[in-house]
Amino acid sequence: MRAVYEKYREERGLEALTPPQRYRLRNRHPIPSSISSVRYKANKMHSTEARQALDTLYQKAKYPTAEEVNEVAGITGLTRRQVLNYFKNKRSRCPWVGDSSTAAQENPGPAERGS
């Protein structure tokens, strides 16, 4: 990185680089992964088995009971909070999953209730 910093300084006639300038240079000229000591791991929050168990329960019930949440948490090794967050995120990201026509029939809106 020092060579990149020096070249930039010389091209612009600067005595020193500011932290934002160094930050931009690091982002524009990253160190090759073959010589970098920084290792990035893939973002896999939950194991495949845990995701399968969560998806199976989601197909069964979009709003699981406390017992179901505790059961899945025990099976997958996730915390109760992680299971609840999974369902919250899944509902917001996949609103089209499930049959919305039956949900509308089961929970009629105010106009359909006659109120």
Side-chain angles (χ1 to χ4, degrees):
M1 280 315 306
R2 287 186 194 149
V4 173
Y5 293 161
E6 287 298 318
K7 182 179 176 188
Y8 186 84
R9 265 188 346 93
E10 288 173 6
E11 286 175 354
R12 289 175 175 65
L14 301 172
E15 286 189 30
L17 296 177
T18 63
Q21 289 170 327
R22 287 193 306 268
Y23 172 80
R24 288 186 199 110
L25 287 170
R26 281 194 308 272
N27 284 339
R28 283 189 212 139
H29 306 283
I31 298 172
S33 60
S34 60
I35 62 170
S36 175
S37 62
V38 177
R39 299 285 181 236
Y40 295 100
K41 64 178 188 175
N43 184 11
K44 292 187 178 177
M45 293 302 292
H46 307 305
S47 68
T48 304
E49 295 81 16
R51 283 193 302 269
Q52 287 174 347
L54 291 165
D55 285 337
T56 301
L57 182 57
Y58 185 79
Q59 295 300 323
K60 180 181 168 189
K62 285 176 122 178
Y63 294 90
T65 63
E67 294 82 22
E68 291 171 328
V69 169
N70 290 333
E71 180 183 340
V72 171
I75 291 170
T76 60
L78 302 174
T79 64
R80 189 171 191 280
R81 173 61 50 204
Q82 287 175 309
V83 173
L84 291 172
N85 283 339
Y86 174 86
F87 277 88
K88 179 180 146 205
N89 291 335
K90 183 83 169 180
R91 285 191 301 267
S92 69
R93 292 174 184 159
C94 303
W96 58 88
V97 174
D99 188 8
S100 61
S101 62
T102 58
Q105 291 171 0
E106 293 171 5
N107 300 316
E112 297 168 356
R113 283 189 225 137
S115 320

